[in-house]
Amino acid sequence: PPQTVLINPNAEGGFENGPSFADNGWTVVNDGTNKWEVGTATKNGGVRGAYVSSDGGITNTYIGSVAQVSHFYRDVDFPAGQLMIRLKFNFRGGSSQDYMSIFLIPTESTPIAGIELTDAGGIGSGVGVAQAEYAFVSRIIPSSAAGTTKRLVFSWRNNGISTINPPVAIDNIE
């Protein structure tokens, strides 16, 4: 039977352990004005969620006039012998031009603020584009990840041309 591996077992995949990514076991790599934040401006249950903000997390809004890329990530141990591995989370926001993508990369690779990751390792691009309300999103992780440790990366990219609020928000990752 498929196993559920909670990304953050103490908070059941949410961001409830504290007001920072580090409190919740994630590393954030931000650049510029629009940054990933953990806060209370938007969430899908609980007290906190993760979202892009241009004002230090007070609101889930952004300024689209400057192109930028930010990431948050953590290393995940995938159980051996699994034929089906599924990433599940709640998501809202984004547009066809400014969006979130998800990657599984080797743990030796570290995302760099301002630089987009390549399609290699991509498991979702333009995820849930233009979701006004939180929606459940599910992505299949390649079964080749079973028995390995991979770096799970959520990336936000805005193109610097337009602003369509709200930007992305994510919660309940498992």
Side-chain angles (χ1 to χ4, degrees), residues 16-80:
E16 304 306 317
N17 287 343
S20 74
F21 280 97
D23 292 335
N24 292 283
W26 296 90
T27 300
V28 66
V29 183
N30 277 322
D31 182 37
T33 304
N34 306 312
K35 298 178 180 179
W36 281 109
E37 302 283 352
V38 170
T40 59
T42 186
K43 68 264 182 204
N44 192 47
V47 177
R48 292 180 204 67
Y51 50 89
V52 171
S53 176
S54 62
D55 58 14
I58 297 168
T59 64
N60 176 218
T61 58
Y62 77 112
I63 300 167
S65 58
V66 177
Q68 59 188 107
V69 178
S70 296
H71 316 276
F72 72 93
Y73 66 89
R74 75 176 300 152
D75 295 348
V76 178
D77 296 322
F78 293 98

